[in-house]
Amino acid sequence: MSFGQAPTIVVLKEGTDTSQGRGQIISNINACLAIQDTLKTTLGPLGSDILIVNSSGKSIISNDGATILKLLDIVHPAAKILVDISRSQDSEVGDGTTTVTILAAEFLKESKNFIEEGVSSHIISKAFRKATALAINKINQLSIKIDKVNDNSEFYNTLIKLAKTAMSSKIVSNNSEFFTKLAVDSVLSLDQNDLNLNLIGIKKVPGGSIDHSLFIKGVAFKKTFSYAGFEQQPKKILNPKILSLNIELELKAEKDNAEVRVQSTADYQAIVDAEWEIIFNKLKLIEDSGANIVLSKLPIGDLATQYFADRNIFCAGRVASEDLDRTIMAVGGSIQSSVSDIDPAAHLGNCDLFEEIQLGNERYNIFTGCHNAKTCTLILRGGAEQVIEEVERSLHDAIMIVKRTIQNNEIVAGGGAIEMEISKYLRNYSKKIAGKQQLIIAAYAKALEIIPRQLCENAGFDGTDLLNKLRMAHATGETWAGIDFNTESVSDNMKKFIWEPSLIKINALNSACEAASLILSVDETVKNQESQSPNASQAQAMMASRGRGIPR
């Protein structure tokens, strides 16, 4: 009895492209290395900026890793993992987005040789996780704790130095002293128990120099659309009472297809009078509440504007929802959807001073001396829109660094110092163990050297020479030896005040290791060609990657 050949079972639709095995892993690694090539020139204080033009023709100039990766149209599913880790670094710490992407790609580059030689990706990932745990433990041992209780001025200076290091690679580095003070003052103006960054408002006003930017300890928003009578309203009020509304204060035309049947002109006049009576009753109730500033998310019409002007009350309609919410958090009170039961004690907010000032071509309404919640507003100036946007991104990084330092007050030296010290430590550790893990941990240690090497290359220094000097310095016990950009040599970066929060390095190593392990675990990609859309974002959704589980 003989059996014929088993029939071929078709599981996937015809035209489906499948790739698997060692070649697929190497292909994924190469895609990530292409991302690294794009980003690595932006690393460090002397890194370059990248000009990105989107599909609508808008140009963005930036060297922020998360911003660049978000704007790049990346289709490869494995390379998109690097976009995700840069975003996680940006949301968790705020800085180090380029570092984490470069490190993840370098870990993959070092593992590529092992994959080609047939080493299982499970073994590589296991060794990477062990090396990361050792590195983080070493950072915790080396990090220096800042005492923020006994000496507030010293702690303030420390925050300034940390923010300055974060801004050293940004487009505003020449004005770093000015902007670091803005960043530190804005975070310290918040309630130190929760440090809610939503209470820091950032407004952009084109025109003027970037050092014309303002720090306002309070709430500020652009003057809203206003009707005739607005200029007769007060532009400065001491100790105002502020009422926030979510109702329209204007006469509205009847809806389409509305029908009102009247028998005489007197009936028609009664309807018109009733409409006016309704709005005048609303305005009278607002006046009786004692409020002298009225803000509303919805329009405040010309009738109400003139009514308030005659009674020395300031009003602003069509206030942006986020501006009104932040104002309420700062001055107190609550948004009212009716004026029939206003309780002045519970529903009105207050502050020390309200004023309207001219900034460039715009007028801004400013509330200062807010007692309900500590808040501030940064008004950014600049000659070009791209410059103002990059200033905003730079300030975001510095503000996040200051916040994280207040919450986790431990620092390490930057400029490649901590990476070289961990690299030395892991290289020495690898010599004490046997098997494949010895080689992989040594490769992990070598990968960490990409940070000081790339810093040298971006600055135009001799990377090989300076790396040799760094290895020698760390071998002789100089823990904080790093790249000194002023002397084009090696120096003690802790004494040079090139500081970074240890949280940046810990989060970067964790994220880079996880991303590298995830990419190494994927050994098959299934892509449905027929369902693929020309739109890149839809094309990405049609790609499915299958990974093998990695023991942790």
Side-chain angles (χ1 to χ4, degrees):
M1 184 176 181
S2 62
F3 296 94
Q5 187 176 2
T8 302
I9 300 174
V10 178
V11 177
L12 301 175
K13 185 189 290 187
E14 184 178 354
T16 300
D17 176 35
T18 61
S19 306
Q20 65 185 71
R22 191 183 308 165
Q24 179 59 42
I25 298 176
I26 292 173
S27 172
N28 290 341
I29 291 173
N30 289 337
C32 294
L33 293 180
I35 299 293
Q36 185 196 46
D37 287 340
T38 303
L39 271 191
K40 65 184 182 181
T41 57
T42 69
L43 183 70
L46 299 178
S48 306
D49 294 336
I50 291 181
L51 172 62
I52 301 170
V53 183
N54 63 16
S55 56
S56 61
K58 182 181 178 182
S59 59
I60 297 98
I61 300 173
S62 181
N63 69 352
D64 180 67
T67 303
I68 294 167
L69 289 178
K70 183 170 65 176
L71 294 171
L72 290 177
D73 195 7
I74 297 172
V75 178
H76 198 285
K80 281 180 68 65
I81 294 171
L82 296 187
V83 181
D84 294 336
I85 64 162
S86 73
R87 286 182 180 175
S88 73
Q89 178 81 4
D90 191 46
S91 60
E92 181 64 25
V93 189
D95 197 18
T97 51
T98 304
T99 299
V100 69
T101 309
I102 290 175
L103 276 177
E106 195 66 17
F107 291 158
L108 290 170
K109 183 179 179 181
E110 291 298 327
S111 63
K112 184 177 176 182
N113 294 330
F114 296 111
I115 295 292
E116 289 173 341
E117 290 170 7
V119 178
S120 170
S121 60
H122 299 261
I123 295 173
I124 298 172
S125 298
K126 185 178 178 181
F128 276 4
R129 287 199 171 94
K130 184 174 184 179
T132 301
L134 290 167
I136 290 171
N137 185 51
K138 187 66 174 175
I139 292 175
N140 288 328
Q141 291 176 17
L142 292 173
S143 59
I144 296 173
K145 196 174 184 70
I146 308 164
D147 187 0
K148 59 181 180 181
V149 177
N150 296 331
D151 191 347
N152 287 329
S153 62
E154 183 61 31
F155 185 61
Y156 181 84
N157 291 333
T158 300
L159 294 177
I160 288 284
K161 290 163 187 170
L162 287 163
K164 193 171 183 179
T165 302
M167 281 198 167
S168 63
S169 62
K170 307 298 182 185
I171 199 171
V172 295
S173 57
N174 291 334
N175 304 80
S176 59
E177 289 188 11
F178 175 76
F179 284 105
T180 50
K181 192 173 186 307
L182 282 187
V184 174
D185 288 346
S186 62
V187 177
L188 292 180
S189 69
L190 304 177
D191 185 340
Q192 299 301 291
N193 293 323
D194 63 355
L195 291 174
N196 183 4
L197 296 186
N198 291 329
L199 288 173
I200 300 178
I202 296 182
K203 303 296 177 184
K204 293 172 276 192
V205 182
S209 171
I210 57 175
D211 55 10
H212 290 163
S213 300
L214 296 175
F215 167 77
I216 294 171
K217 198 165 185 179
V219 180
F221 55 83
K222 193 167 84 170
K223 172 189 165 186
T224 59
F225 175 83
S226 54
Y227 290 90
F230 181 85
E231 289 304 326
Q232 300 169 31
Q233 294 180 355
K235 299 298 182 283
K236 184 174 183 179
I237 304 174
L238 293 172
N239 299 312
K241 295 187 181 302
I242 303 153
L243 175 62
S244 303
L245 301 173
N246 189 28
I247 58 175
E248 289 181 329
L249 293 175
E250 64 177 345
L251 291 168
K252 300 289 288 182
E254 289 297 336
K255 300 292 183 184
D256 293 341
N257 301 321
E259 182 177 338
V260 178
R261 297 190 179 187
V262 294
Q263 301 297 326
S264 65
T265 55
D267 292 341
Y268 177 75
Q269 185 62 43
I271 294 172
V272 174
D273 291 343
E275 290 181 334
W276 282 73
E277 185 178 351
I278 289 171
I279 190 167
F280 272 119
N281 284 340
K282 289 181 181 179
L283 298 177
K284 185 68 168 63
L285 288 169
I286 292 172
E287 179 190 0
D288 293 344
S289 71
N292 46 14
I293 293 181
V294 180
L295 306 176
S296 179
K297 290 184 180 181
L298 298 176
I300 295 179
D302 51 359
L303 173 66
T305 302
Q306 189 63 55
Y307 182 95
F308 289 138
D310 294 341
R311 287 152 183 82
N312 216 31
I313 297 173
F314 174 89
C315 71
R318 294 191 179 99
V319 179
S321 180
E322 59 181 23
D323 288 333
L324 191 58
D325 291 343
R326 200 160 57 87
T327 303
I328 290 172
M329 292 174 73
V331 303
S334 58
I335 296 180
Q336 299 299 301
S337 56
S338 169
V339 296
S340 59
D341 57 349
I342 297 175
D343 180 358
H347 299 155
L348 299 186
N350 60 81
C351 63
D352 289 344
L353 175 66
F354 163 80
E355 58 183 336
E356 185 179 293
I357 63 172
Q358 186 80 26
L359 289 173
N361 291 328
E362 307 287 352
R363 293 185 70 82
Y364 267 74
N365 300 323
I366 298 176
F367 302 80
T368 52
C370 306
H371 308 294
N372 193 63
K374 296 179 178 178
T375 183
C376 68
T377 304
L378 298 175
I379 298 179
L380 307 181
R381 307 295 306 276
E385 185 181 343
Q386 291 90 341
V387 174
I388 300 177
E389 288 178 354
E390 184 64 6
V391 169
E392 182 184 11
R393 288 188 284 268
S394 304
L395 270 174
H396 167 264
D397 286 5
I399 286 169
M400 287 292 291
I401 289 298
V402 174
K403 177 187 175 182
R404 294 303 180 190
T405 305
I406 292 173
Q407 293 174 330
N408 305 278
N409 55 328
E410 293 185 350
I411 61 167
V412 294
I418 189 68
E419 286 85 2
M420 288 302 295
E421 182 64 20
I422 298 170
S423 178
K424 180 202 78 173
Y425 168 69
L426 291 177
R427 195 176 281 111
N428 291 338
Y429 175 84
S430 68
K431 296 174 183 176
K432 300 174 186 176
I433 59 175
K436 296 175 182 175
Q437 286 205 357
Q438 181 191 54
L439 299 173
I440 298 169
I441 291 177
Y444 185 103
K446 181 185 176 186
L448 291 173
E449 293 184 350
I450 185 64
I451 300 301
R453 182 186 296 278
Q454 196 60 48
L455 288 173
C456 292
E457 289 184 9
N458 290 349
F461 302 160
D462 186 341
T464 304
D465 180 48
L466 288 181
L467 270 180
N468 286 333
K469 288 182 179 179
L470 279 176
R471 292 192 193 104
M472 188 183 302
H474 284 269
T476 55
E478 296 181 34
T479 305
W480 302 121
I483 305 297
D484 186 341
F485 294 96
N486 294 325
T487 62
E488 299 187 17
S489 184
V490 172
S491 67
D492 187 330
N493 280 356
M494 187 59 74
K495 292 181 180 177
K496 289 271 188 179
F497 304 120
I498 302 173
W499 298 346
E500 295 183 78
S502 59
L503 186 65
I504 287 184
K505 302 303 179 185
I506 291 172
N507 201 74
L509 287 173
N510 265 328
S511 299
C513 174
E514 287 298 325
S517 298
L518 181 59
I519 290 168
L520 289 173
S521 72
V522 175
D523 75 338
E524 181 172 352
T525 299
V526 180
K527 184 166 133 185
N528 191 338
Q529 293 285 1
E530 291 187 6
S531 300
Q532 190 171 351
S533 164
N535 187 320
S537 60
Q538 293 177 4
Q540 295 156 9
M542 303 313 299
M543 297 185 180
S545 296
R546 177 171 66 85
R548 314 295 188 189
I550 295 179
R552 294 178 182 264

